[in-house]
Amino acid sequence: MLFLAGAVMTSPGVSGQARLVEKVVRKGHEAVIPYERYVLPNGLTLLIHEDHSDPIVHVDVTYHVGSAREEIGKSGFAHFFEHMMFQGSDHVGDEQHFRIITEAGGTLNGTTNRDRTNYFETVPANQLEKVLWLEADRMGFLLDAVTQKKFEVQRATVKNERGQNYDNRPYGLLGEVTSRNLYPYGHPYSWLTIGYVEDLNRVNVDDLKNFFLRWYGPNNAVITIGGDVKVRQAVGWVEKYFGSIRRGPEVKPASFPLPILEKDRYVSYVDQYAKIPVLRMVFPTSASFSADEPALDLLAEIIGQGNNSLLYKNLVKTGKALSASAYNGTSELAGEFALNITPYPGQKLSDIEEMVRQTLAEFGTRGVTEEDLVKFRSKAEASIIYDLESVAGKVSRLASFYTLTGDANYLPKNLEANTSVRREDVMRVYAQYLKGKHAVIVSVLTKDGGVQPAAEDNHEVSAEGYKAPDYGYSGLRYIKPADTFDRSRQPSPGEPVVNKAPGIWKDSLGPWKVIGTQTDELPVVNIMLRFRGGRFLDTPGKEGLSGLFAVLMREDTKNYTSEAFNLALGQLGSSIGVYSGDDQVSVQVRCLKKNLAPTLDLLRERLLYPAFRADDFDRNKKQLTESLRNSLNQPSYVAGTVHQRLLYGSDSPLGRTATAETVQNIGLEDVRNYYRDNFSGRDGEIVVVGEVTREEILAGLSFLDALPKGKVELPVFSPGEKKRRQAVYFVDIPNSAQTEFRIGSVTGLKYDALGEFYKAGMANFSLGGSFNSRLNLHLREEKGWTYGARSQFAGDKYTGSFVFSAGIKAQATDSALVDVLDTIRKYRESGISEEELAFTKSSVTLSEARKYETGFQKAGFLNMILTYELPEDYTSRQNKLLKSLTKEEVSRFASAYIPDDDHLVVLLVGDKARVLEKIKQRGFDVIELDREGRPL
C-alpha cells in the first residue's frame, strides 16, 4: 500500500528490488521535510530527501539498537561496537573508513545513545556511491575482519573516552549514580551508554560477533540520504550494495518496567574533582513522543530554564545557588524530570532541597501564564526552523522520527504537539509526575568533607526478583552476502561538483564596516557585531573584567529587567548574546525574518541602555569566582591555561588569564568605565547572513550611530618567542584517570590565508591535523592510549603557536611522552611523504563543497574576509596554492615551523603519585607547578 502525504503520486516509482511505499511533499509553507520512502526485500528502509541548494549529500545509517539492548554485566557494548564499526571490513582496510571519507572531502562520525546507534557522513555530492559502498560493507562484511588486536585497541580507546568524559572531570559520574538508583536492577537505563570499566574488561570477541548478528541486520536499520541527490540513481546504488545482505533476526520493541519509587531515595558520593557540592533531584516521567512530553517540557521551562524561571528567582537571584536548572529528558522507554542545583559555598544541601520543594509547591499556586505559553510555542517553532538549516539536520530528524515513531513525517505532529500545549495539560502533568511524588535525590560531595548530604543514604540497589530476558542470541549464524559484481572495487566519484561561495555585499554604517550575504533558503537572519576590546584590555591584576562586562551586558537594562527582556526574546523565538574574546566583544543575534524588527528593538535596548546594577554585579562576580575555583579541579582547563602562561609569560596579555583572585579586584565602576571607554562603534564590524536585504538591515541597525565613537587602543605587546626547554612541567591533580598533555611553542606565525601560516597548517595535516594523522593513529589506533590526539598551528593578528594536545591514560604517560616527542621530531626531520601529501591535497580541496551550507558557516566565511581583509575568492586561491605544493616545499615548512625538541614547552597535568617517577626514570627533569602555573 502506497501512503501519500501532501501531494498525489504521479509516477509508478522505481523498478527493481526497492519498493516505494510513501512520498511526502511540501505544500506552501508547511513544516514538512519532503522525502520518499522505500523498502527492500531484506527489510531495509530507505528515506531520500532532495535538496539541491548546496553540492553536498548527508548519509545517515541508523540501527535501532543502543545500550537499551545490552545485558546486565555487559554494559557499554553498543557504544564499544560503534567503535569497532570503523575498524575495517572485508573490502575496506584497517583505519581506511576515516581515510577514504576524509580524502573525499567529507566528514564522518558515529554516535550511540540508549535507544539507537547511527553512522553518518557529509560529502561532496559526487561521492555518494562511495559512502553507500562503505556503509554496506560494514553492514554485510564486518565479522571476518574483526581481529583480537583491533578488539583490544578499541576496548582501550573506549576506556580512555570514559576517563576523559566521565572519570576525569567534575560531576562526570553524576548521571551514572542517578541512573543506577532510579531504574530497577537490570533495566538497561540503569547504566550509562559508556558502560562500566569492569564490564568492558569482561566482554570478548565472541560477544561482539553475537551483538552484530543479533542487532545489525538490514531489517533493523534505516538509511537516510539527503542533499544534492538524484533519487533514481541513489535507489539503484542502495539496491546494488545493500540488496544482497541477508535479513537479520526479528527485532521486537524493547519493553521494560518504568521506575516506581516507593519513597524518596537519597544517595550520595564523593567527587574527586568537584570543588562545589551539587544536589540533583530526579522524578520519573513519560517517554519520548508521549502525549505528556510537551507539557512536561513547558513545566521544566517554567520551573528551571533561564532567568524567568522559578528556580532562578528563588535560588540564583537570592544568592543561594550558583546555578539552578530543570529539564525533562526523554528516551524511548522512559523520561526523567531532573532538577540540578549548584549551591554557593556554605549552603547546606538539606536546605537547598527544601528550597527546591518550596519552589515546586509555588508552581502549584502560580500555574501557567499566557506569557509562558506564547514563549514556549514561539521557541518551538523557531527551534524547528533552525534545525532545518542544514541537510544533516533534516536527515537526522527524518532518521530519528522514523526509528522511534515509525513515521518519518512526524515533524508536523511534533510541531502541533508543542504549539498547542494548554495550561490544563501542564497542571495535569505536574500533578501526575511531581506534586507529592517521590524522587531520587543525589548529593555530590567534595573530598574535603565539608558538606553533608541532603539526608542519610537510604537506598541500595537490589537484584532481588530480577529475571534476565531472552535477548535472542541463540542460533545466530553469519552468512556472507553473495554478489554478482566485484565488491572489492571502490566506486569512483562522479562528475566534480561546482563549489560556489556565497555572494557578498559590502557597505558601511557610519564608522562600522558591514559585510553580508542574502539567502532565501530559510526565513532566518543571523547578525554579528564586533567591538574592539576583549580581554587584551583587562588591567593587570583585574583579569576577567571584559568577561564580567559581557555577562553584565546580558542583565538588566534601563527599561527591562533581565527577566522581562528574556521573556520578550523568547516570545519571538530570538536570541541575543554578548561575549568577550581576546581582542573583541561580540554580539550575536539570531531571529526569524518575521520577527527581525522587534528583535532589533531589543538589540537597541541591550546595547544602548545597560543598567549595570549592583545586585547583578555582585551575583555574577560571585558566580564567576566560584566557577574559576571549580575549574582548577578540571585537568583539561588547568592544562590549557597553564600552558598558555608558560608559552607567553604572565607579563603578556597572551599569557594572563582570569583567576578567582583577579576577579575579586574588579569593582562595579570598572565595568561601567569599560562600557564608557571601550564600547565604541568607531572600529566596529558587522556580519549579516540571511533573508534580509542590504537596505533593510542598514536601516534596522541605524541606531548604532548613538553609540560612542571614541578610539579604543589595544595594548602593544610582543608576540612571544621560542623558549628553550628546561624540563617537563608538571601539575598534580590526584587520582586523575588520564594525563593531559600540552606540548608546543610560540612560532610567531600570524594568521595569513595564502602565506607561510597557511602552508605550515597544510604541513601539519598529516602530523596531527586529521583522524588519520601520524599522532592520532599511533596513540589512539595502534596503542589505545587516548580517545584523540591532535596538533595544530594557531594564529591570529598578533602571534602564532604550535601545540600538541591529548588526554592520555595515566599508566602510559611516560611512554606516550617519549613517543609524541619522537613522532614530532621524525616528522620535522623527514617531512611529509608523497602519499600523505596527496591525501592532504584531496581532503582539503574537496572539503570546499561543505564550507558554505549553513548561516553559521557563511557568517564564518564573511567574518574571515572582514577580519583579515581577505579577497572574496581566498578559499579558491588556497586550493590552487595547495595543488601546486610539492613534497619538498611542504617538508621545508615542517622543518622551519614545527619546533625542535629543545624548544618544545612540555606540560603534563595528572596524578603525580602514579606517573611522576616514571617520567623521571625516562631521563626527564621535572619542574612542579601549582594549578595556576606558579612554581612550587
Side-chain angles (χ1 to χ4, degrees):
M1 178 179 178
L2 177 63
F3 174 76
L4 306 178
V8 176
M9 178 61 117
T10 59
S11 166
V14 179
S15 62
Q17 293 180 324
R19 179 170 56 93
L20 176 61
V21 295
E22 182 185 16
K23 183 170 182 175
V24 172
V25 299
R26 179 185 291 113
K27 294 190 300 183
H29 296 287
E30 289 179 319
V32 166
I33 305 172
Y35 66 89
E36 294 182 13
R37 177 163 63 96
Y38 298 82
V39 177
L40 275 63
N42 60 9
L44 179 66
T45 295
L46 168 64
L47 304 171
I48 303 180
H49 162 70
E50 286 188 81
D51 178 354
H52 301 290
S53 58
D54 293 280
I56 60 174
V57 292
H58 184 82
V59 177
D60 178 290
V61 182
T62 295
Y63 296 87
H64 197 169
V65 55
S67 55
R69 300 291 189 174
E70 293 169 352
E71 302 174 72
I72 189 78
K74 294 183 180 179
S75 66
F77 207 80
H79 173 250
F80 181 18
F81 191 83
E82 175 211 317
H83 279 248
M84 293 302 302
M85 285 280 279
F86 288 96
Q87 300 310 302
S89 45
D90 277 3
H91 310 104
V92 181
D94 298 355
E95 321 307 340
Q96 290 302 297
H97 202 111
F98 270 95
R99 182 180 182 87
I100 290 170
I101 294 297
T102 306
E103 193 169 27
T107 183
L108 70 160
N109 213 330
T111 67
T112 308
N113 64 25
R114 287 169 162 179
D115 307 312
R116 62 100 189 105
T117 305
N118 73 332
Y119 305 87
F120 50 89
E121 298 89 359
T122 305
V123 294
N126 64 335
Q127 303 284 350
L128 174 58
E129 185 181 7
K130 187 179 296 182
V131 172
L132 296 174
W133 170 75
L134 282 166
E135 288 291 358
D137 210 64
R138 58 182 175 185
M139 180 187 284
F141 299 87
L142 180 79
L143 291 192
D144 286 348
V146 173
T147 65
Q148 188 67 35
K149 179 180 179 181
K150 291 180 186 179
F151 182 86
E152 293 301 341
V153 168
Q154 290 311 309
R155 179 176 8 218
T157 300
V158 172
K159 289 160 69 174
N160 285 319
E161 180 180 354
R162 179 185 166 95
Q164 180 173 313
N165 294 334
Y166 298 88
D167 298 330
N168 212 33
R169 62 172 52 183
Y171 316 114
L173 299 178
L174 177 54
E176 184 171 270
V177 173
T178 303
S179 295
R180 184 169 62 243
N181 289 281
L182 175 63
Y183 293 96
Y185 177 85
H187 192 295
Y189 286 2
S190 66
W191 54 81
L192 296 188
T193 301
I194 193 68
Y196 296 111
V197 170
E198 55 268 29
D199 288 354
L200 292 170
N201 288 334
R202 183 181 296 118
V203 297
N204 57 44
V205 174
D206 288 337
D207 294 320
L208 179 142
K209 292 182 177 181
N210 280 331
F211 193 88
F212 175 82
L213 292 172
R214 179 65 186 93
W215 306 111
Y216 271 71
N219 51 303
N220 197 37
V222 55
I223 300 176
T224 310
I225 303 170
D228 191 10
V229 58
K230 298 175 182 177
V231 173
R232 292 178 181 271
Q233 186 180 61
V235 172
W237 284 334
V238 170
E239 290 174 337
K240 176 180 179 180
Y241 294 114
F242 292 88
S244 63
I245 301 174
R246 290 176 177 263
R247 186 182 186 93
E250 181 183 3
V251 178
K252 296 180 180 179
S255 178
F256 288 89
L258 291 172
I260 298 176
L261 307 185
E262 71 291 345
K263 62 180 179 181
D264 287 325
R265 296 178 181 176
Y266 288 92
V267 293
S268 63
Y269 76 99
V270 175
D271 191 313
Q272 295 291 332
Y273 302 104
K275 189 83 172 179
I276 306 169
V278 158
L279 183 78
R280 170 178 284 185
M281 298 177 65
V282 179
F283 296 84
T285 60
S286 63
S288 298
F289 305 109
S290 73
D292 292 343
E293 184 179 14
L296 284 162
D297 290 342
L298 176 50
L299 178 61
E301 185 172 290
I302 295 169
I303 290 176
Q305 292 177 16
N307 61 3
N308 300 104
S309 70
L310 296 177
L311 284 176
Y312 185 89
K313 173 179 71 73
N314 294 341
L315 281 85
V316 178
K317 197 84 170 179
T318 59
K320 302 296 184 182
L322 285 162
S323 63
S325 63
Y327 68 92
N328 180 52
T330 60
S331 300
E332 187 176 18
L333 304 178
E336 302 167 15
F337 194 101
L339 304 104
N340 297 301
I341 316 297
T342 304
Y344 275 113
Q347 296 289 328
K348 294 181 179 179
L349 292 183
S350 57
D351 291 343
I352 293 295
E353 181 194 351
E354 180 58 29
M355 294 177 202
V356 172
R357 293 191 183 277
Q358 290 173 2
T359 300
L360 294 178
E362 179 184 348
F363 171 81
T365 302
R366 172 195 184 275
V368 182
T369 69
E370 183 64 25
E371 291 176 330
D372 296 329
L373 293 169
V374 172
K375 178 183 175 184
F376 183 77
R377 292 165 181 168
S378 297
K379 288 175 65 176
E381 178 192 10
S383 176
I384 286 175
I385 292 175
Y386 296 152
D387 281 352
L388 302 183
E389 190 173 20
S390 69
V391 170
K394 289 182 281 189
V395 165
S396 297
R397 285 256 182 181
L398 290 172
S400 177
F401 284 146
Y402 186 80
T403 300
L404 298 179
T405 73
D407 181 5
N409 190 34
Y410 195 80
L411 182 65
K413 302 181 185 67
N414 194 41
L415 180 59
E416 171 64 20
N418 281 280
T419 55
S420 61
V421 176
R422 303 169 302 168
R423 292 183 180 87
E424 50 266 38
D425 296 326
V426 182
M427 299 310 296
R428 176 180 53 79
V429 297
Y430 165 72
Q432 182 176 346
Y433 297 107
L434 268 66
K435 184 179 180 181
K437 301 301 188 290
H438 298 303
V440 172
I441 299 102
V442 183
S443 299
V444 184
L445 309 177
T446 55
K447 62 182 179 181
D448 59 17
V451 177
Q452 297 301 309
E456 291 296 320
D457 291 7
N458 68 350
H459 178 70
E460 291 186 5
V461 178
S462 173
E464 184 178 352
Y466 171 72
K467 182 179 180 181
D470 180 3
Y471 286 90
Y473 284 107
S474 61
L476 298 175
R477 276 194 315 145
Y478 177 41
I479 303 175
K480 279 191 178 182
D483 294 310
T484 58
F485 66 96
D486 184 1
R487 196 179 281 267
S488 67
R489 295 184 62 180
Q490 182 182 146
S492 300
E495 291 296 317
V497 301
V498 177
N499 302 316
K500 186 177 180 181
I504 295 172
W505 58 263
K506 294 181 179 179
D507 213 316
S508 61
L509 186 64
W512 293 81
K513 296 178 182 178
V514 190
I515 188 170
T517 185
Q518 184 177 348
T519 66
D520 59 3
E521 295 175 24
L522 284 175
V524 175
V525 179
N526 296 278
I527 306 168
M528 181 170 68
L529 298 90
R530 294 203 307 263
F531 297 80
R532 177 176 288 190
R535 72 180 184 92
F536 286 173
L537 288 180
D538 287 355
T539 304
K542 294 186 178 182
E543 287 81 8
L545 170 59
S546 62
L548 195 53
F549 163 77
V551 172
L552 266 292
M553 285 290 290
R554 303 196 292 266
E555 289 286 351
D556 291 0
T557 67
K558 292 181 180 177
N559 300 304
Y560 286 81
T561 65
S562 61
E563 293 86 349
F565 190 94
N566 287 318
L567 176 62
L569 271 180
Q571 290 177 330
L572 298 171
S574 304
S575 63
I576 298 175
V578 185
Y579 311 96
S580 176
D582 285 347
D583 64 351
Q584 65 183 18
V585 171
S586 63
V587 181
Q588 298 179 17
V589 183
R590 194 181 202 190
C591 66
L592 300 178
K593 171 59 189 300
K594 67 180 182 180
N595 294 328
L596 176 61
T599 300
L600 292 181
D601 287 341
L602 289 170
L603 177 64
R604 180 177 184 273
E605 176 74 20
R606 173 66 78 214
L607 298 183
L608 298 185
Y609 305 112
F612 300 132
R613 303 192 194 284
D615 55 345
D616 290 336
F617 172 79
D618 292 340
R619 184 180 66 257
N620 282 286
K621 180 178 176 178
K622 287 174 65 177
Q623 290 174 341
L624 178 58
T625 300
E626 294 305 325
S627 175
L628 288 167
R629 286 174 176 159
N630 203 32
S631 295
L632 294 180
N633 290 285
Q634 189 164 340
S636 60
Y637 174 85
V638 172
T641 55
V642 172
H643 197 249
Q644 192 80 354
R645 178 172 294 186
L646 291 171
L647 290 184
Y648 295 105
S650 57
D651 293 332
S652 168
L654 295 165
R656 293 197 299 266
T657 56
T659 67
E661 289 72 26
T662 64
V663 170
Q664 288 305 302
N665 297 329
I666 300 170
L668 179 56
E669 281 306 305
D670 294 313
V671 173
R672 290 172 173 164
N673 292 340
Y674 189 101
Y675 179 83
R676 182 195 66 200
D677 299 334
N678 300 323
F679 204 62
S680 167
R682 175 165 173 167
D683 295 299
E685 298 174 337
I686 303 172
V687 176
V688 182
V689 175
E691 194 182 86
V692 62
T693 67
R694 178 197 316 215
E695 293 74 22
E696 283 180 286
I697 198 63
L698 292 179
L701 292 173
S702 60
F703 67 84
L704 293 174
D705 187 58
L707 282 167
K709 301 178 182 63
K711 188 171 181 59
V712 177
E713 296 282 0
L714 293 172
V716 177
F717 52 85
S718 166
E721 58 184 18
K722 290 183 180 180
K723 296 181 179 179
R724 186 166 294 277
R725 174 153 63 90
Q726 300 175 340
V728 170
Y729 294 98
F730 192 91
V731 177
D732 180 31
I733 298 186
N735 302 308
S736 296
Q738 291 182 309
T739 302
E740 286 290 335
F741 278 54
R742 299 295 184 273
I743 300 175
S745 176
V746 173
T747 63
L749 272 178
K750 300 177 183 179
Y751 175 85
D752 67 69
L754 300 167
E756 300 294 281
F757 175 82
Y758 174 76
K759 296 171 185 176
M762 295 303 100
N764 176 67
F765 193 79
S766 290
L767 172 62
S770 71
F771 183 91
N772 288 81
S773 66
R774 293 188 189 184
L775 286 165
N776 191 61
L777 286 184
H778 176 73
L779 295 168
R780 171 179 164 138
E781 300 301 303
E782 294 175 20
K783 295 294 188 178
W785 288 342
T786 182
Y787 181 49
R790 63 207 61 83
S791 62
Q792 68 169 345
F793 284 94
D796 53 27
K797 295 178 181 179
Y798 312 99
T799 188
S801 62
F802 170 85
V803 175
F804 165 83
S805 60
I808 293 175
K809 72 176 184 178
Q811 299 92 319
T813 299
D814 58 314
S815 299
L817 177 57
V818 172
D819 285 5
V820 169
L821 294 174
D822 188 54
T823 301
I824 294 173
R825 177 182 56 78
K826 287 180 178 177
Y827 189 79
R828 181 180 182 277
E829 293 175 353
S830 63
I832 197 170
S833 69
E834 290 286 3
E835 182 183 3
E836 288 172 328
L837 179 58
F839 175 71
T840 300
K841 288 183 175 183
S842 179
S843 302
V844 176
T845 302
L846 295 180
S847 68
E848 179 83 2
R850 297 185 287 107
K851 288 184 177 179
Y852 314 112
E853 183 189 14
T854 67
F856 178 79
Q857 289 173 308
K858 291 182 177 74
F861 174 67
L862 300 185
N863 180 51
M864 294 299 291
I865 291 174
L866 196 60
T867 300
Y868 294 101
E869 300 180 341
L870 301 176
E872 295 178 15
D873 64 345
Y874 83 91
T875 54
S876 60
R877 292 192 193 186
Q878 285 178 331
N879 288 335
K880 291 178 182 177
L881 175 60
L882 177 56
K883 288 179 181 178
S884 70
L885 290 178
T886 65
K887 174 181 179 297
E888 290 70 28
E889 287 178 294
V890 176
S891 296
R892 177 168 58 82
F893 299 136
S895 177
Y897 296 116
I898 295 174
D900 58 40
D901 282 8
D902 289 340
H903 293 93
L904 284 170
V905 176
V906 180
L907 170 68
L908 305 177
V909 179
D911 184 0
K912 172 182 175 179
R914 198 182 311 186
V915 306
L916 194 59
E917 285 306 312
K918 290 183 179 180
I919 295 169
K920 292 178 178 179
Q921 289 170 11
R922 292 280 189 169
F924 295 102
D925 294 328
V926 175
I927 297 176
E928 294 188 61
L929 308 174
D930 69 13
R931 298 183 191 188
E932 293 183 349
R934 295 176 292 241
L936 293 176

